[in-house]
Amino acid sequence: MRAITLESVPSAPAVAEVDTPRPEAGELLVKVAAASLNGIDLATAAGYTQAFMEHRYPLVLGQDFAGTVEALGEGVEGFAVGDAVFGVVLKPYLGAGSLAQYVTVPAGHGAARIPAGLKVGDAGALGVAGATALVSLDAVALGEDETLLISGASGGVGSLAVQLAAARGAKVIATARPGAQTDFVTGLTGAEVHVVDFTGDLEGQVRAIAPEGVDAVLHLAGDGAQLAALLRPGGQLASTTGLTQDAVKGQDVTIHTIMANPDPRILTSLAEQVASGALRVPVTATYPLEQAPEAFAAFGAGTPGKIAVSCS
Ligand SMILES: NC(=O)c1ccc[n+]([C@@H]2O[C@H](COP(=O)([O-])OP(=O)(O)OC[C@H]3O[C@@H](n4cnc5c(N)ncnc54)[C@H](OP(=O)(O)O)[C@@H]3O)[C@@H](O)[C@H]2O)c1
């Protein structure tokens, strides 16, 4: 099959011919129709993940997938050949990823059905970013009318988090560069979003909207300690980039270090919200699998929202 692979790290992702995987016990073999890029794919190519995860070569990149069940491993229940499924590849090593024509995934974790109303191209870009946005919002226990600062709102996780937070009735302050990125963030939801320019005086802009400090922060990009200083006393921050409580010693705030867990309930909840029209998957570019190296270049250069890859 065709796949986006690395022969070593650090190296540039390339399209190559590799063996089609076979489903082990408890796994689904999925014919991949769509996938998307995430920060971990770039981090893997750059060699940043080898210190904390086993890498198997040729290493097929990719975590998000959507497609059709092609075969079932021994003992799989609850799925049938032909089912439309999506989710996140969760394995204890890197190398059996979804940027390929086929992928194997554990049936019991990281996979869910695609409901009517969710397009396969959107499903392939939803898992990692959607689950991370949802888990982060749940971590800060955001209430209605509370003020939430989303740093990194223009990215894949952020553009889903803006919509989910607005739907919960929060007052959303979202970061973006001036110009096209601001227009993108403003257009994410029908609800009012206060956009602040992270390349300017961030503190001044946020304090003008929330003089006593914000109730919560999603730290998806930027300087975590600077963002934590914008919280009101007792406020909460969820960090997807590894900020810990140690970074705010002596400050009356709580830091949640997020490791998103895309379990089937979370995936199903996200899928239903998209199918009902309450949530939009912010795909801003789609590349064919054969052009995935160009997709990586675009991701590295800063494309707002999600970059999808069409694999069939
Ligand atoms: N812990 C987990 O489970 C988990 C899961 C998924 C993702 N993550 C991590 O979470 C982060 C966000 O993921 P993502 O997929 O949304 O990444 P992304 O698509 O690259 O988005 C990041 C966004 O932040 C913007 N940005 C850059 N510097 C900024 C700053 N100083 N202040 C505010 N915004 C800034 C970027 O804009 P420009 O491109 O214009 O610079 C980009 O739009 C990544 O670090 C990713 O690795 C963690």
Side-chain angles (χ1 to χ4, degrees):
M1 67 171 185
R2 306 291 283 168
I4 306 306
T5 64
L6 301 170
E7 289 294 341
S8 61
V9 293
S11 70
V15 188
E17 196 72 24
V18 297
D19 291 340
T20 302
R22 289 190 192 170
E24 292 181 6
E27 288 188 336
L28 308 174
L29 175 66
V30 177
K31 184 171 193 221
V32 185
S36 84
L37 302 191
N38 289 289
I40 189 166
D41 301 313
L42 256 77
T44 302
Y48 300 149
T49 51
Q50 56 181 335
F52 56 90
M53 257 185 121
E54 181 194 344
H55 288 36
R56 294 190 187 169
Y57 297 98
L59 188 153
V60 178
L61 288 163
Q63 287 202 308
D64 283 325
F65 71 90
T68 310
V69 176
E70 182 87 0
L72 303 174
E74 206 183 307
V76 170
E77 287 175 8
F79 288 98
V81 170
D83 282 351
V85 292
F86 82 108
V88 179
V89 180
L90 293 172
K91 295 197 171 168
Y93 62 92
L94 291 174
S98 58
L99 286 165
Q101 290 178 300
Y102 294 90
V103 68
T104 55
V105 294
H109 201 60
R113 282 207 175 64
I114 300 179
L118 171 57
K119 292 188 203 124
V120 75
D122 286 346
L126 181 59
V128 171
T132 308
L134 204 55
V135 168
S136 301
L137 281 175
D138 286 347
V140 298
L142 190 70
E144 210 174 322
D145 295 328
E146 288 197 315
T147 304
L148 172 72
L149 169 62
I150 303 180
S151 178
S154 44
V157 177
S159 51
L160 285 156
V162 166
Q163 299 176 65
L164 292 166
R168 290 184 188 191
K171 180 174 176 182
V172 178
I173 306 174
T175 61
R177 295 179 194 275
Q181 216 178 62
T182 291
D183 294 344
F184 168 74
V185 170
T186 309
L188 286 170
T189 163
E192 191 195 359
V193 172
H194 302 266
V195 179
V196 290
D197 172 10
F198 68 83
T199 66
D201 172 15
L202 184 67
E203 180 177 354
Q205 296 169 78
V206 172
R207 293 269 175 210
I209 300 163
E212 309 299 324
V214 297
D215 297 300
V217 170
L218 296 195
H219 171 222
L220 316 174
D223 179 341
Q226 184 199 12
L227 294 164
L230 293 171
L231 285 165
R232 65 159 168 78
Q236 303 194 49
L237 179 149
S239 175
T240 63
T241 66
L243 193 79
T244 63
Q245 195 70 39
D246 287 349
V248 294
K249 277 204 178 98
Q251 214 181 314
D252 174 22
V253 298
T254 303
I255 308 294
H256 305 273
T257 310
I258 301 298
M259 277 310 296
N261 179 18
D263 71 34
R265 275 169 312 150
I266 288 178
L267 293 172
T268 300
S269 162
L270 289 163
E272 284 170 354
Q273 291 180 68
V274 178
S276 75
L279 181 65
R280 189 168 57 81
V281 185
V283 173
T284 48
T286 302
Y287 291 79
L289 187 67
E290 296 292 324
Q291 284 174 20
E294 286 88 331
F296 274 85
F299 191 49
T303 302
K306 290 293 301 175
I307 295 184
V309 175
S310 146
C311 300
S312 56

